[in-house]
């Protein structure tokens, strides 16, 4: 089944404790993104990757890191999480930039 | 100024009516436009994309683009209760996606 998977789905952590949210797609997609969704603010792009080893900042990259060492995986790293990073996070992928973007199920992160 | 603006709603329409959802964008260089639907507690899913001025129809959905006015709309004909969701407008600028905050649509039986 073609899909985007994210893990974990739910995470409660404390300020400053490094964490990684994994994202994997099995559709051989080139373009991958991370978004955060907050009430009233909609989806905001954090980072995106046009292809392996090619990543770039989205609209709200502060406090986040990503890597794209393999085509299928695009982990999101929070090296020192803060409460303002409490949010719902989505990973998404598409064959190319303007093709249909498929979203993962979301990761709900709470930083205390 | 936000890149993409939408009325948050909720927009309430009776079953069988036409629902009209609107979106404006700020950057004239935007070339690609999308409408996503997001049910409560679920992930967004693409409904339609549009790249050139005019109308694009897909079943009960019609996307309309007016680049001169920097305006994108989505019409849903014969609205059904199953269309009740939040509709997100998105544009691409320089390889980045910008989403509006979404319009919540309620279709009443």
């Amino acid at each position: 089944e073609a899909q985007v998977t994210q893990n974990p789905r739910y995470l409660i952590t404390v300020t400053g404790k490094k964490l990684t949210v994994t994202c994997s797609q099995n559709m051989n997609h080139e373009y991958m993104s991370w978004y955060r969704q907050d009430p009233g603010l909609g989806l905001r792009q954090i980072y995106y990757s046009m292809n392996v080893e090619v990543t770039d900042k989205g609209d709200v990259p502060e406090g986040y890191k990503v890597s794209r060492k393999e085509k299928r995986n695009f982990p999101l790293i929070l090296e020192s999480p803060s409460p303002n990073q409490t949010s719902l996070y989505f990973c998404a992928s598409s064959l190319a930039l303007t093709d249909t973007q498929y979203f993962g199920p979301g990761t709900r992160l709470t930083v205390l | 100024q936000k890149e993409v603006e939408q009325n948050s709603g909720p927009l309430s329409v009776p079953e069988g009516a036409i629902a009209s959802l609107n979106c404006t964008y700020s950057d004239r260089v935007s070339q690609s436009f999308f409408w996503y639907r997001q049910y409560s507690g679920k992930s967004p899913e693409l409904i339609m994309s549009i790249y050139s001025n005019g109308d694009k129809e897909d079943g009960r959905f019609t996307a309309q683009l007016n680049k001169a006015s920097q305006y994108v709309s989505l019409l849903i004909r014969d609205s059904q209760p199953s269309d009740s969701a939040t509709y997100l407008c998105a544009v691409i600028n320089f390889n980045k996606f910008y989403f509006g905050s979404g319009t919540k649509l309620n279709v009443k039986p």
Side-chain angles (χ1 to χ4, degrees):
Chain A
E1 180 189 354
Q3 59 182 349
V4 179
T5 57
Q6 295 178 228
N7 282 292
R9 294 288 313 278
Y10 302 91
L11 179 60
I12 300 174
T13 189
V14 296
T15 299
K17 186 176 181 181
K18 182 179 178 179
L19 66 92
T20 299
V21 184
T22 64
C23 172
S24 183
Q25 50 92 5
N26 62 1
M27 296 170 278
N28 202 36
H29 285 173
E30 303 274 340
Y31 188 87
M32 296 187 75
S33 281
W34 274 103
Y35 297 92
R36 60 178 290 174
Q37 188 170 36
D38 302 288
L41 297 176
L43 279 165
R44 293 180 291 168
Q45 193 175 41
I46 302 170
Y47 269 93
Y48 66 95
S49 170
M50 300 291 288
N51 209 330
V52 176
E53 302 291 2
V54 180
T55 63
D56 209 343
K57 297 177 180 178
D59 201 26
V60 288
E62 294 77 19
Y64 305 94
K65 286 177 59 177
V66 293
S67 67
R68 186 95 181 271
K69 296 177 182 176
E70 308 165 277
K71 198 174 207 179
R72 64 183 296 130
N73 296 323
F74 191 45
L76 178 70
I77 303 157
L78 285 72
E79 297 219 330
S80 184
S82 62
N84 64 13
Q85 292 178 298
T86 292
S87 187
L88 178 60
Y89 291 86
F90 288 103
C91 180
S93 73
S94 59
L95 190 59
L97 176 61
T98 58
D99 288 320
T100 300
Q101 198 168 196
Y102 295 91
F103 283 78
T107 295
R108 188 165 292 282
L109 172 66
T110 301
V111 183
L112 302 174
Chain B
Q1 183 185 5
K2 280 187 173 181
E3 295 276 345
V4 180
E5 301 266 13
Q6 292 182 256
N7 187 319
S8 61
L11 173 66
S12 291
V13 300
E15 184 174 355
I18 296 175
S20 177
L21 304 161
N22 304 314
C23 169
T24 57
Y25 60 96
S26 60
D27 198 328
R28 288 192 174 275
V29 304
S30 301
Q31 294 295 318
S32 304
F33 307 87
F34 307 86
W35 283 100
Y36 285 80
R37 176 177 63 199
Q38 186 176 24
Y39 292 113
S40 180
K42 300 295 185 182
S43 307
E45 54 182 344
L46 183 69
I47 300 175
M48 294 200 60
S49 57
I50 186 166
Y51 308 107
S52 53
N53 278 328
D55 295 0
K56 179 181 178 183
E57 188 174 317
D58 184 0
R60 295 187 295 112
F61 298 95
T62 299
Q64 299 174 318
L65 174 60
N66 183 326
K67 289 186 179 180
S69 300
Q70 295 177 235
Y71 179 92
V72 190
S73 65
L74 179 70
L75 300 178
I76 306 175
R77 289 182 299 281
D78 188 25
S79 295
Q80 302 296 309
S82 59
D83 294 326
S84 297
T86 297
Y87 290 80
L88 305 168
C89 174
V91 305
I92 295 177
N93 289 343
F94 303 108
N95 299 333
K96 299 180 185 181
F97 274 85
Y98 294 91
F99 282 79
S101 56
T103 298
K104 187 170 185 178
L105 173 67
N106 292 326
V107 181
K108 298 181 178 179

